[in-house]
Amino acid sequence: MKKVDEKTYYLDQQDIYEFLKNRPPILMIDEVYVQPGVTAYTSKTWDEGVWFFACHFPGNPMMPGVLQLESLFNIAAMPIKLLEGNRHKTTNVAQISSAKFKRHILPGEKLDISAEIIKFRRGLATVKGKIMVADEVCCEAEFVLVVLDDVLKVENGGDCHADDE
Amino acid sequence: MTNQEKYNKVFMEALEVDESQLMELEYQSVDAWDSVGHMNLIGELEDTFEIEMETDDVIAFSSYKKGIEILAKYNIIV
């Protein structure tokens, strides 16, 4: 992990492995620029030979929406994970408030993927994420990531922990 | 807005319930008051009343009525 400027860190895939439990093929990022607690950004180009284009759809390849969201979840976890004490904690998606898919993502297109932490408290991060190709928005979503280790048991209330993914 | 009104408003918005349900409201008595909903509720109350609850109080905050007792420890009288 390298410090790029006063607020920003650059992580390559080996660095990412230190923070995320995701592994290929359900790790959708190779590198990421992160401002802890604030934002994350990456770019990614999927070649036509990648596994999901072969089945989604034969003869008409486009990136599945669920994997677009997974890309956003991957980078959104990074600003939370880079906060002190969070590296080894588990983050899961707790809620998707909105998701819009405005444009197909085709093989060979360069994606600009970004996430902004709107609010983070009590282990809940409200995030806005966006995927763009050039100046066109492909996907926008707002969702909540939960830091499982920060979700507490409630007295006499039974199991208060969110389920692992 | 009184503290009572603020307290009720947080519950109604965070847990998507109406006023008639409040007095009997307990952790896990409605779908929205699950583990994640609990932390959201606590966060909203902390913002509204400008306090930070101790961990023991977050854990003990198991009902609408119990929450009134807990807030009193922070000099918030509902």
Side-chain angles (χ1 to χ4, degrees):
Chain A
M1 184 166 72
K2 288 186 230 167
K3 195 163 187 176
V4 177
D5 59 35
E6 196 64 28
K7 298 177 179 174
T8 310
Y9 293 87
Y10 169 81
L11 293 87
D12 63 19
Q13 194 163 58
Q14 285 306 312
D15 296 326
I16 291 169
Y17 284 176
E18 298 289 318
F19 289 87
L20 291 188
K21 295 176 180 174
N22 300 55
R23 294 293 181 268
I26 306 296
L27 175 63
M28 313 303 292
I29 58 177
D30 302 325
E31 59 181 359
V32 62
Y33 291 87
V34 182
Q35 290 187 15
V38 183
T39 62
Y41 163 80
T42 193
S43 63
K44 176 74 182 173
T45 301
W46 293 104
D47 295 331
E48 185 153 11
V50 73
W51 64 276
F52 54 78
F53 283 137
C55 46
H56 191 279
F57 301 96
N60 185 23
M62 61 184 75
M63 186 176 183
V66 68
L67 295 182
Q68 295 178 42
L69 290 177
E70 185 63 26
S71 307
L72 295 176
F73 301 155
N74 288 173
I75 66 159
M78 297 306 297
I80 304 304
K81 292 279 196 168
L82 262 68
L83 292 173
E84 192 175 343
N86 282 355
R87 174 186 288 229
H88 299 296
K89 292 182 178 177
T90 302
T91 55
N92 283 175
V93 181
Q95 178 181 317
I96 301 174
S97 309
S98 68
K100 292 179 184 174
F101 302 94
K102 299 183 173 182
R103 177 194 185 281
H104 292 159
I105 293 176
L106 307 177
E109 292 188 318
K110 176 175 174 282
L111 312 182
D112 292 311
I113 307 168
S114 60
E116 178 185 1
I117 309 300
I118 305 301
K119 184 166 60 178
F120 180 56
R121 65 173 179 204
R122 291 283 177 199
L124 302 182
T126 303
V127 185
K128 278 187 179 175
K130 187 187 290 186
I131 302 177
M132 300 190 69
V133 170
D135 60 352
E136 292 183 77
V137 177
C138 302
C139 170
E140 283 180 316
E142 185 165 329
F143 51 92
V144 175
L145 292 185
V146 57
V147 180
L148 291 185
D149 313 64
D150 293 344
V151 175
L152 303 169
K153 286 181 183 293
V154 177
E155 203 166 65
N156 302 321
D159 185 5
C160 184
H161 282 266
D163 294 333
D164 285 346
E165 278 184 329
Chain B
M1 194 181 283
T2 66
N3 282 348
Q4 178 79 64
E5 288 167 337
K6 289 179 187 174
Y7 186 69
N8 289 357
K9 185 169 184 280
V10 169
F11 269 82
M12 288 190 286
E13 291 182 356
L15 301 180
E16 299 171 341
V17 295
D18 60 48
E19 198 155 10
S20 66
Q21 297 173 268
L22 292 177
M23 289 305 288
E24 303 306 319
L25 208 54
E26 295 181 345
Y27 176 65
Q28 291 186 332
S29 65
V30 292
D31 286 347
W33 199 349
D34 58 8
S35 55
V36 172
H38 184 68
M39 302 314 282
N40 183 49
L41 174 68
I42 296 296
E44 293 291 342
L45 288 168
E46 288 178 323
D47 281 356
T48 298
F49 293 111
E50 298 179 330
I51 57 172
E52 185 164 351
M53 291 187 218
E54 301 289 337
T55 300
D56 286 350
D57 290 330
V58 175
I59 293 168
F61 201 112
S62 57
S63 70
Y64 172 88
K65 290 176 185 171
K66 182 72 179 174
I68 292 172
E69 292 175 29
I70 289 171
L71 287 187
K73 292 170 61 177
Y74 298 87
N75 297 319
I76 306 296
I77 307 304
V78 174

